[in-house]
Amino acid sequence: MKQFVSGFARSAAAAGVALLIPAVWAAFAALGIWWAGSNPWVWIPPVLWACISTVLLARLVCRMTRGLVARWTGTEIPDGYWKPAPLVQLSTGYWWNGFTYTKNRRQSLQEQELRVRWFDPANWRDLRFVLVAPVAGLVAAIPVLGLAALVLPTGVGRVAGVAVLASPYTWRPFVAVARRFLRPSRAMALAERVDELTAQRADMTVVQAAELRRIERDLHDGAQARLVSLGLSLATAEKLLETDPGRARALLAAARGDAAASIGELRELVQGISPPVLGERGLVDAVRLLALDSPLDVAVRADELPRPEAPVDAAVYFAVAEILTNAVKHARASRATVALAGDGAEIAVVVEDDGRGGAVERPGGGLDGLRRRLAVFDGTLEIDSPAGGPTRVRIAVPCVSS
């Protein structure tokens, strides 16, 4: 009984969504018949308004359809709509919205909204769907019509009963039509992928430029200045060895301290640069060394992993390093576990800590940047961090063994 009730409700919902546009046309047709009389020119406004209503309602119908399909089957149909690009103000004062340059932000935003909404190729796909959907909507409406026939003294109760009993199946053609006609075309999917890769390349360019500036700044202000001072101290000590040995020994002791400090600065400087063990012994040993250097009590569990390409190795390594750093700085954790597994097609890493949880991915934040860097390799990031902890982060990156 439950499946019939559920099927009837789904069929009714599918029929209501699929037949919304035809209902609008029927309403304007009735208005035209009532209004026109013997004057055919009076039909122009109802037909015009029916066309405008179809264009305005098409995207709403498609979104409702995707929602129903996702709720009933668990299948998400990508919409493929244009996404507005971030507005950028140039040094000239003009604004770039992804399409044109404008003089102010408001004008740039208005023009972007206009182009994204009305020049999107997906609009033609939506119009095609609302033209095809009524066929599936009529099939979905069979149980509703059958139920109506049951309460009418028409003498067709048996046929109507069969129509009602078909309700667990009559909504399925609507889902099939939605999957077929609402998915992005190959050209739309390719354009979206190009935009995504362009954004990822821009992100990586910004990250690399910032990292180079950090290295240059730290070398110039820190290690380089300290090494120059160390050289001057050694030269002075060399001259004083015979005339003032006590002062020479003091300078050598200070130089030894400067050398130790320079080593520490260089170690901090190379953070973000692949450690030699990653290239020599692979990801597992590099993560184990990272765990030894971490202030956390980190346990590493790893299967025998295939050896992926070096960029994939580095991406996973630095992702684990950033997650452990976050566990120390933000989660105030004391222990963590890192589990690595791979099957030749994918490397998966799960990092768990006993911190206070509450990690939230914010646009422009560290976790958002980490997700974007992994996306360059088609990697994924899953975060489960309830308030009070614990936090569980899963990284998965496709790989081809080298």
Side-chain angles (χ1 to χ4, degrees):
M1 184 62 182
K2 183 178 180 180
Q3 64 176 340
F4 291 103
V5 174
S6 174
F8 185 87
R10 292 182 179 184
S11 296
V17 172
L19 298 177
L20 177 61
I21 300 295
V24 171
W25 277 86
F28 281 111
L31 177 62
I33 294 173
W34 173 76
W35 190 17
S38 60
N39 184 1
W41 295 104
V42 180
W43 276 96
I44 294 178
V47 172
L48 181 61
W49 280 108
C51 293
I52 294 174
S53 300
T54 300
V55 173
L56 293 176
L57 291 173
R59 183 165 291 194
L60 174 63
V61 169
C62 293
R63 284 177 172 167
M64 293 170 64
T65 300
R66 289 191 189 90
L68 292 176
V69 173
R71 189 184 312 160
W72 295 342
T73 68
T75 301
E76 297 284 346
I77 303 177
D79 55 31
Y81 297 132
W82 279 354
K83 304 297 188 296
L87 302 182
V88 179
Q89 186 176 21
L90 307 178
S91 58
T92 58
Y94 281 79
W95 288 80
W96 170 252
N97 59 16
F99 301 98
T100 58
Y101 298 97
T102 57
K103 292 183 178 181
N104 57 68
R105 188 180 189 278
R106 182 180 179 184
Q107 181 183 355
S108 182
L109 184 61
Q110 289 175 343
E111 184 165 343
Q112 183 190 64
E113 291 176 348
L114 176 66
R115 287 179 175 268
V116 167
R117 178 62 182 90
W118 298 111
F119 291 86
D120 191 341
N123 292 332
W124 296 107
R125 179 205 58 199
D126 291 352
L127 288 174
R128 181 186 63 178
F129 173 76
V130 299
L131 292 176
V132 176
V135 177
L138 290 174
V139 176
I142 290 175
V144 180
L145 297 176
L147 184 63
L150 281 176
V151 300
L152 295 176
T154 58
V156 292
R158 183 176 298 177
V159 176
V162 172
V164 174
L165 292 177
S167 58
Y169 311 99
T170 51
W171 58 274
R172 298 182 186 274
F174 174 74
V175 173
V177 170
R179 287 173 173 170
R180 170 63 181 83
F181 289 95
L182 278 185
R183 64 187 179 187
S185 66
R186 184 174 299 179
M188 292 165 61
L190 180 60
E192 185 176 357
R193 181 59 175 163
V194 169
D195 292 341
E196 180 183 351
L197 291 176
T198 301
Q200 291 171 357
R201 183 181 65 182
D203 284 341
M204 293 304 297
T205 302
V206 172
V207 170
Q208 290 172 356
E211 187 67 13
L212 285 174
R213 288 195 298 269
R214 180 185 74 85
I215 293 174
E216 292 173 354
R217 182 182 65 251
D218 291 350
L219 276 175
H220 183 271
D221 297 340
Q224 178 179 329
R226 193 176 293 277
L227 289 174
V228 170
S229 175
L230 175 62
L232 293 174
S233 297
L234 291 175
T236 303
E238 183 180 8
K239 294 178 181 180
L240 294 175
L241 278 176
E242 295 182 358
T243 59
D244 194 348
R247 187 179 175 192
R249 282 195 296 271
L251 288 173
L252 290 174
R256 185 171 63 249
D258 288 341
S262 298
I263 292 174
E265 289 180 356
L266 289 173
R267 283 177 176 171
E268 294 179 359
L269 178 63
V270 298
Q271 287 181 0
I273 302 176
S274 297
V277 68
L278 183 61
E280 296 171 0
R281 303 187 60 178
L283 179 62
V284 174
D285 286 341
V287 171
R288 284 176 175 151
L289 182 60
L290 182 67
L292 291 175
D293 291 339
S294 174
L296 295 175
D297 180 11
V298 182
V300 179
R301 301 193 302 270
D303 300 332
E304 187 67 26
L305 295 183
R307 193 67 185 269
E309 296 293 336
V312 176
D313 250 354
V316 176
Y317 172 82
F318 290 122
V320 173
E322 184 167 345
I323 293 169
L324 290 177
T325 300
N326 288 342
V328 175
K329 292 175 60 176
H330 305 297
R332 299 178 183 175
S334 58
R335 291 188 302 275
T337 60
V338 181
L340 300 95
D343 57 4
E346 179 185 81
I347 289 181
V349 183
V350 177
V351 183
E352 298 185 51
D353 66 62
D354 63 348
R356 59 183 180 177
V360 178
E361 185 177 345
R362 297 181 177 86
L367 293 176
D368 181 56
L370 178 57
R371 183 184 296 278
R372 295 200 306 270
R373 293 195 296 275
L374 291 172
V376 174
F377 304 95
D378 290 327
T380 59
L381 179 70
E382 299 174 7
I383 304 170
D384 181 16
S385 182
T391 295
R392 182 180 186 273
V393 181
R394 184 180 187 273
I395 303 165
V397 181
C399 68
V400 177
S401 300
S402 58

